[in-house]
Amino acid sequence: MISFVMGVEDLADTRFALSPLAETVCSLRVLREPGLSALHLPWRRATIGGLGALDTELLLSLVARRHTLPDFLTPRPATHFASFADELTAVRRTPPALVRRDLRDTHAPDPLPAPLRAAANGTDAEVIALREAVCDLLDGYWRAAVEPWWPRIRLVLEADMTYRARQLATGGARLLFADLHPDVRWRDGVLEMRGMIGDGFRTRAAGRGLLLVPLVFAHKPAPPVTEHVAPVLAYPSRGVATLWTEAPPAAPPGALAELVGTVRARLLAQLAEPLATVELARRFRVTPSAVSQHLRVLFATGLVTRARHGRQVLYRRTPLADQLLGGEAAPDA
């Protein structure tokens, strides 16, 4: 089990961040083992033929038999929306000694795979050459396999962060971590991650806070492999099951579609519960600004209500919209 001991200041400094580099690195697991996540098979089928001359043997050797990955390839994001280029630049600055340690810790107790063994056991210059080769490969792999899908992936991740922020605001840390994953538990100021590979460790946040990173390619919580890294937890994002589907939600039949149009009728069909603009945009594969235009019209005509929740505005349909959808709203609502 891996545990983060959190103080009051650490809880106050619990934040979320997106990491395109972490998504890219974690997707190598699915590329290597298709059975690890059947949800991503459409992505794998669409991607694998476009990798061209990339040295996939070296890339896939980064994934250990236990599915662990080197910590130095997923540095703690420095900003809320880090760019892939900035994150890769940070990886290129990793000292050779840290590269060696992370590669060995990742694959232990197994020996290093052949594509890594000679360089990782060699001189600093050889380790640096390996680090640069891996970074160059990741850059090409990102462009071919992840970047084309990144706008769609980002909508899913932003919707997850909106949901988690609402959980934190309404129920504190206990509610935030309650449904993060079955292997994650918050108890007496300690964040516990069970079912982890290896001996595990217990480390104090000690004023460094906690960074939460949602990932669509994470199949389980992914804390650092070693205790030397500041507390960061990558976790499976919500909404992944709909990520690779092409069709938007079906339009409801009846009077509402005829009255307000198909698109707005579809929006109202989704608003049985409060939702933010970014979540609706994710579901309909459009930009948040396009959704906002329709929501403004629906609000002005009394078909949705809105309320601010932190930085987000949440929308929900009114009883009048329920009636038009065929619901049973009270006549005097």
Side-chain angles (χ1 to χ4, degrees), residues 71-302:
D71 284 339
F72 80 92
L73 292 179
T74 54
R76 185 181 173 109
T79 62
H80 181 59
F81 293 115
S83 71
F84 180 87
D86 288 344
E87 290 189 293
L88 197 62
T89 297
V91 174
R92 292 186 188 276
R93 292 196 292 262
T94 308
L98 185 56
V99 173
R100 284 195 193 91
R101 186 195 73 192
D102 282 358
L103 289 174
R104 290 169 182 164
D105 287 346
T106 296
H107 288 276
D110 299 328
L112 288 172
L116 303 175
R117 189 179 307 136
N121 293 327
T123 64
D124 281 0
E126 290 173 308
V127 175
I128 291 171
L130 173 64
R131 182 195 66 196
E132 293 304 303
V134 167
C135 286
D136 290 343
L137 273 175
L138 286 173
D139 186 46
Y141 176 68
W142 151 259
R143 297 178 190 278
V146 182
E147 187 179 28
W149 304 95
W150 181 246
R152 179 183 294 193
I153 292 172
R154 179 166 173 165
L155 285 174
V156 172
L157 301 177
E158 289 179 342
D160 178 88
M161 290 191 294
T162 298
Y163 170 80
R164 304 292 175 195
R166 186 163 69 238
Q167 296 289 89
L168 180 61
T170 57
R174 191 176 304 279
L175 186 58
L176 169 63
F177 298 118
D179 67 344
L180 199 70
H181 190 273
D183 290 341
V184 175
R185 179 174 62 177
W186 173 258
R187 185 174 64 174
D188 299 329
V190 179
L191 184 63
E192 299 175 344
M193 289 142 280
R194 296 164 290 180
M196 299 293 106
I197 296 170
D199 298 331
F201 56 85
R202 182 183 178 94
T203 186
R204 293 186 175 276
R208 294 175 293 178
L210 172 67
L211 191 64
L212 297 170
V213 182
L215 298 176
V216 302
F217 285 109
H219 66 288
K220 63 185 295 185
V225 174
T226 70
E227 59 187 303
H228 306 290
V229 180
V232 57
L233 177 61
Y235 64 90
S237 172
R238 299 170 79 245
V240 176
T242 62
L243 182 57
W244 311 118
T245 57
E246 296 297 334
L256 186 58
E258 295 179 6
L259 178 65
V260 300
T262 301
V263 174
R264 289 169 186 165
R266 287 176 177 171
L267 281 172
L268 288 173
Q270 297 293 305
L271 290 172
E273 60 175 337
L275 292 174
T277 304
V278 67
E279 169 65 11
L280 289 166
R282 182 193 71 79
R283 295 186 184 188
F284 284 89
R285 308 280 189 260
V286 297
T287 63
S289 61
V291 172
S292 294
Q293 294 176 20
H294 292 296
L295 290 174
R296 281 196 294 269
V297 174
L298 294 173
F299 177 75
T301 53

Side-chain angles (χ1 to χ4, degrees), residues 283-325:
R283 295 186 184 188
F284 284 89
R285 308 280 189 260
V286 297
T287 63
S289 61
V291 172
S292 294
Q293 294 176 20
H294 292 296
L295 290 174
R296 281 196 294 269
V297 174
L298 294 173
F299 177 75
T301 53
L303 294 177
V304 300
T305 61
R306 66 188 183 192
R308 180 166 292 280
H309 189 88
R311 294 185 177 181
Q312 297 288 331
V313 176
L314 302 180
Y315 292 85
R316 185 172 187 170
R317 68 178 183 239
T318 63
L320 174 58
D322 286 335
Q323 286 183 305
L324 291 171
L325 279 167

Side-chain angles (χ1 to χ4, degrees), residues 8-93:
V8 174
E9 290 299 319
D10 299 306
L11 279 178
D13 196 22
T14 296
R15 295 170 287 117
F16 293 87
L18 298 185
S19 175
L21 176 58
E23 285 287 11
T24 302
V25 173
C26 286
S27 74
L28 292 173
R29 293 187 180 122
V30 179
L31 197 67
R32 175 174 168 169
E33 295 190 32
L36 193 63
S37 179
L39 291 174
H40 294 308
L41 289 179
W43 166 83
R44 189 179 187 276
R45 285 194 295 267
T47 297
I48 197 165
L51 298 182
L54 289 177
D55 185 355
T56 53
E57 182 183 8
L58 177 54
L59 275 177
L60 297 182
S61 71
L62 298 169
V63 184
R65 176 179 56 85
R66 306 173 302 163
H67 304 136
T68 49
L69 291 158
D71 284 339
F72 80 92
L73 292 179
T74 54
R76 185 181 173 109
T79 62
H80 181 59
F81 293 115
S83 71
F84 180 87
D86 288 344
E87 290 189 293
L88 197 62
T89 297
V91 174
R92 292 186 188 276
R93 292 196 292 262

